[in-house]
């Protein structure tokens, strides 16, 4: 019955006479109404705290049955008006979207400009059998267009037709039957990688986060009226622990248990936050190999269904950590020309996988993992000792100033040099690189370990930089430009000999690559 309503509301499929205009599903109005409830509730609260109650006491009680329905009716009327004036048409060469009530907007999106089509289902939409279609055209605005609520069948039909017409596999007919059969074939396919609930839980154990602590802090600020006294007031607890008589009244064992309890609570909150966040994001994770590339589905409250074309993959990223690596768990990501659903810079392909599970996925992209016999080159040790020397001088100056003007105990700040320097040494030992005839391998990080595997044909630019501190040591840094991914974390090889950097840059670019090469000196 629902499918019949969908077909009637959306005008059916394209006919022989030409493309047919479609509307969003009628249940879009229900979803929008649910979304209006918080705003309507806020309006009712605002009326309660205004002079509205005095007007009722003055004899205008008959206004209540009129005003309260109007608060709901007015926004719903404009929502219905916008829905009735919104339509889309799947043409032979483009997708056309018409919207606007007073000012009409007719947007035409050629298929060759569309980079990605993703399907997303939030919790309420999943119960109603609806989905949101996100259309990315590669512009600066990211997902420039979207169809907020269509049936899941229609969303999959749109995704397959746009993808096929972009690839030139069909000539503009795009029957709904063919699209549904294609989706059915993908549903029956064997996943390249999948995670059950146990695997998702293991992945969450390594995804340490303090997001739950932030939520508890926000609740403490807004719900302090629920408990008596100053339980949610951090200033109360800070003043209590700074009270010398109170602290002296505690036994040594109580103080140690208090410190261990505080540390244990933070660790528990961090682990619990990671598990909860991972379950919400990765629940039901499944990666399939389909005709266009990799199809990934995941999500507990918001189910996302996206296809990543293999030809758009620029690099492979294998992430791990000292504890995760000891248990043999790795996270495979692909740096792609398109941003991932949810704003992630890289596409997650296997969040918690063993090496033998990663290999088949990488083979599909033509990117090879590092061979056991591959020899990596280390960078110069100045990466740690130069920064450690600067840190020692800065900490000594700060500690002397604070201990001289405030309290002698501040001189203990100099002890921070030990763990920070130890971290610098570990990061230096992990920062390595290797070059084969067609791929570049770069290891970075000690705690957050990352191996970036970049095919040489994907390199867009190579910048050689020298800072004022690099000149005396004859060092340089190479920054490799790659399309896609996060611009905040470019691929770099730090602190290598200048001549060595020059030779490596030539090898990366190749004699006839025609890529951009720059040298910067500061």
């Amino acid at each position: 019955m629902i499918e019949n309503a969908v077909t009637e509301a959306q005008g059916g499929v394209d006919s022989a006479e030409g493309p047919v205009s479609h509307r969003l599903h009628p249940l879009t109005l229900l979803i929008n109404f649910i979304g209006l409830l918080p705003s309507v509730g806020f309006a009712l609260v605002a009326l309660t705290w205004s002079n509205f109650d005095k007007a009722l006491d003055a004899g205008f009680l008959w206004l209540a049955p009129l005003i309260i329905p109007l608060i709901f009716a007015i926004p719903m009327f404009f929502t219905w008006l916008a829905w009735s004036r919104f339509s889309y048409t799947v043409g032979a060469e483009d997708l056309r979207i018409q919207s606007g009530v007073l000012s009409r907007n007719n947007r035409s999106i050629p298929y060759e400009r569309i980079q990605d089509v993703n399907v997303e289902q939030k919790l309420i939409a999943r119960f109603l059998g609806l989905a949101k279609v996100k259309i990315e055209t590669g512009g600066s605005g990211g997902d420039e267009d979207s169809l907020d609520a269509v049936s899941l069948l229609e969303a999959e039909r749109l995704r397959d037709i746009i993808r096929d017409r972009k690839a030139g596999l069909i000539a503009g007919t795009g029957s709904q039957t063919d699209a549904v059969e294609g989706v059915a074939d993908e549903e029956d396919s064997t996943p390249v990688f999948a995670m059950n609930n146990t695997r998702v839980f293991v992945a969450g154990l390594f995804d340490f986060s303090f997001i739950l602590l932030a939520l508890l802090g926000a609740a403490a600020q807004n719900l302090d009226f629920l408990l008596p006294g100053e339980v949610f007031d951090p200033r109360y607890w800070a003043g209590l622990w700074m009270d010398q008589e109170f602290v002296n009244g505690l036994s040594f064992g109580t103080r140690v248990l208090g410190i261990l309890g505080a540390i244990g609570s933070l660790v528990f909150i961090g682990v619990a936050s990671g598990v909860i966040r991972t379950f919400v994001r990765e629940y039901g994770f499944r990666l399939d190999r389909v005709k266009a590339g990799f199809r990934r589905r995941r999500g507990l409250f918001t189910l996302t269904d996206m296809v990543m074309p293999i030809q758009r993959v620029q690099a492979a990223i294998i992430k791990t950590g000292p504890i995760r690596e000891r248990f043999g768990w790795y996270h495979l990501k692909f740096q792609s020309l398109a941003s991932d659903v949810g704003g992630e810079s890289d596409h997650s392909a296997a969040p918690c996988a063993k090496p033998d599970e990663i290999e088949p996925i990488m083979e599909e992209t033509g990117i090879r993992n590092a061979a056991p016999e591959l020899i990596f080159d280390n960078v110069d040790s100045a990466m740690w000792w130069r920064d450690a020397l600067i840190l020692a001088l800065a900490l000594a100056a700060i500690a002397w100033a604070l201990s001289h003007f405030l309290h002698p105990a501040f001189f203990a700040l100099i002890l921070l040099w030990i763990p920070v320097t130890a971290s610098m040494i570990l990061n230096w030992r992990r920062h390595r690189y290797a070059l084969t005839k067609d791929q570049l391998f770069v290891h970075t990080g000690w705690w957050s370990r990352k191996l970036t595997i970049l095919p040489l044909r994907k390199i867009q630019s190579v910048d050689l930089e020298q800072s004022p501190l690099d000149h005396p040591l004859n060092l340089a840094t190479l920054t490799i430009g790659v399309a896609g991914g996060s611009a905040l974390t470019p691929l770099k090889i730090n602190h290598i000999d200048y001549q060595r950097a020059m030779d490596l840059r030539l090898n990366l670019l190749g004699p006839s690559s025609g890529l951009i090469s720059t040298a910067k000196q500061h």
Side-chain angles (χ1 to χ4, degrees):
M1 182 176 180
I2 293 179
E3 291 301 330
N4 293 335
V6 173
T7 304
E8 181 180 356
Q10 296 178 343
V13 299
D14 295 348
S15 63
E17 290 77 12
V20 178
S21 295
H22 305 270
R23 284 185 179 175
L24 300 179
H25 198 285
L27 290 177
T28 305
L29 298 174
L30 177 59
I31 295 178
N32 292 336
F33 175 76
I34 296 175
L36 287 174
L37 290 180
S39 301
V40 172
F42 178 79
L44 291 175
V45 172
L47 281 176
T48 302
W49 287 95
S50 65
N51 294 327
F52 181 67
D53 54 345
K54 296 181 180 180
L56 296 180
D57 295 338
F60 294 96
L61 187 61
W62 59 273
L63 288 175
L66 298 177
I67 294 180
I68 294 179
L70 280 176
I71 295 177
F72 288 89
I74 292 176
M76 280 305 300
F77 170 75
F78 287 103
T79 300
W80 171 83
L81 199 59
W83 171 83
S84 65
R85 300 287 287 170
F86 186 97
S87 63
Y88 64 93
T89 305
V90 182
E93 298 180 354
D94 59 359
L95 175 68
R96 295 185 290 274
I97 298 177
Q98 300 84 32
S99 61
V101 178
L102 299 178
S103 177
R104 296 291 290 167
N105 180 23
N106 293 275
R107 180 169 173 79
S108 175
I109 310 173
Y111 293 127
E112 62 267 15
R113 284 195 57 215
I114 296 178
Q115 303 295 335
D116 283 300
V117 181
N118 300 318
V119 178
E120 179 182 283
Q121 282 186 292
K122 294 187 181 296
L123 186 60
I124 299 176
R126 291 173 68 178
F127 282 116
L128 299 176
L130 305 180
K132 180 178 182 178
V133 181
K134 291 185 174 182
I135 302 168
E136 183 187 339
T137 59
S140 59
D143 293 317
E144 294 185 356
D145 294 280
S146 63
L147 305 177
D148 287 340
V150 297
S151 68
L152 181 59
L153 183 66
E154 174 71 1
E156 293 174 336
R157 183 183 81 95
L158 284 171
R159 181 192 61 196
D160 292 343
I161 287 180
I162 293 174
R163 184 180 65 196
D164 290 343
R165 290 184 179 176
K166 175 179 173 62
L169 299 180
I170 57 179
T173 55
S175 68
Q176 188 174 15
T177 304
D178 294 340
V180 174
E181 290 177 353
V183 173
D185 292 339
E186 293 179 2
E187 292 287 352
D188 296 335
S189 63
T190 302
V192 178
F193 178 78
M195 295 200 306
N196 56 22
N197 291 340
T198 302
R199 183 71 68 92
V200 175
F201 177 78
V202 172
L205 292 178
F206 300 110
D207 191 13
F208 194 85
S209 171
F210 279 124
I211 186 173
L212 185 59
L213 184 63
L215 294 176
L216 292 176
Q221 293 181 355
N222 295 280
L223 303 178
D224 55 345
F225 60 89
L226 295 179
L227 291 179
E230 299 173 310
V231 177
F232 283 141
D233 189 355
R235 292 170 296 183
Y236 167 76
W237 294 102
L240 187 64
W241 282 103
M242 292 184 67
D243 187 353
Q244 194 67 28
E245 295 182 0
F246 174 79
V247 175
N248 292 337
L250 300 175
S251 64
F252 178 77
T254 303
R255 300 180 193 178
V256 173
L257 288 177
I259 296 174
L260 294 178
I263 297 175
S265 299
L266 290 176
V267 173
F268 173 79
I269 292 175
V271 173
S273 299
V275 171
I276 294 173
R277 186 173 69 170
T278 302
F279 255 98
V280 171
R281 183 180 64 240
E282 309 293 355
Y283 178 80
F285 188 98
R286 172 170 170 162
L287 187 74
D288 292 275
R289 179 67 169 93
V290 296
K291 181 171 55 178
F294 291 117
R295 181 186 183 189
R296 188 193 67 199
R297 283 160 285 182
R298 64 175 181 176
L300 180 61
F301 300 121
T302 300
L303 175 63
T304 59
D305 187 345
M306 57 82 63
V307 175
M308 177 183 60
I310 287 182
Q311 64 270 18
R312 305 195 71 198
V313 173
Q314 303 298 300
I317 300 173
I318 302 176
K319 304 183 70 174
T320 186
I323 302 176
R324 180 184 296 188
E325 187 176 14
R326 187 172 184 84
F327 287 96
W329 297 111
Y330 298 86
H331 186 176
L332 173 64
K333 288 188 171 186
F334 287 122
Q335 186 170 328
S336 176
L337 290 174
S339 61
D340 199 356
V341 178
E344 296 183 27
S345 59
D346 301 312
H347 291 261
S348 181
C352 189
K354 297 288 186 177
D356 57 342
E357 296 173 322
I358 290 178
E359 292 295 336
I361 304 176
M362 295 184 59
E363 287 178 2
E364 295 289 342
T365 65
I367 300 177
R368 301 182 309 278
N369 202 349
E373 64 273 10
L374 183 63
I375 299 177
F376 282 81
D377 294 325
N378 295 320
V379 299
D380 196 277
S381 59
M383 177 178 174
W384 75 266
W385 65 257
R386 188 180 64 185
D387 293 341
L389 180 60
I390 296 174
L391 177 65
L393 296 176
L395 282 177
I398 295 173
W400 177 87
L402 293 178
S403 62
H404 181 75
F405 293 103
L406 297 179
H407 194 279
F410 281 103
F411 196 75
L413 287 175
I414 197 67
L415 296 177
L416 291 175
W417 182 85
I418 298 176
V420 175
T421 301
S423 177
M424 291 179 180
I425 296 175
L426 293 173
N427 285 329
W428 163 69
R429 292 176 62 88
R430 293 287 305 182
H431 191 36
R432 299 171 295 164
Y433 66 95
L435 181 64
T436 62
K437 62 178 182 180
D438 58 352
Q439 291 187 159
L440 173 67
F441 302 81
V442 180
H443 269 296
T444 57
W446 169 76
W447 182 256
S448 180
R449 302 179 178 181
K450 182 168 69 171
L451 170 62
T452 303
I453 307 175
L454 174 63
L456 299 186
R457 67 181 185 278
K458 300 293 185 178
I459 295 178
Q460 290 192 333
S461 63
V462 181
D463 296 341
L464 188 147
E465 302 179 8
Q466 272 192 308
S467 69
L469 297 177
D470 289 332
H471 286 288
L473 302 175
N474 198 33
L475 299 178
T477 294
L478 282 182
T479 302
I480 296 96
V482 187
S486 174
L488 301 177
T489 56
L491 181 60
K492 289 189 175 185
I493 304 176
N494 299 301
H495 300 90
I496 56 178
D497 180 77
Y498 182 80
Q499 186 57 47
R500 196 173 175 185
M502 292 285 291
D503 296 338
L504 180 58
R505 182 178 62 172
L506 292 176
N507 291 330
L508 291 176
L509 295 176
S512 59
S513 61
L515 299 180
I516 301 173
S517 173
T518 61
K520 299 180 181 179
Q521 295 184 351
H522 302 286

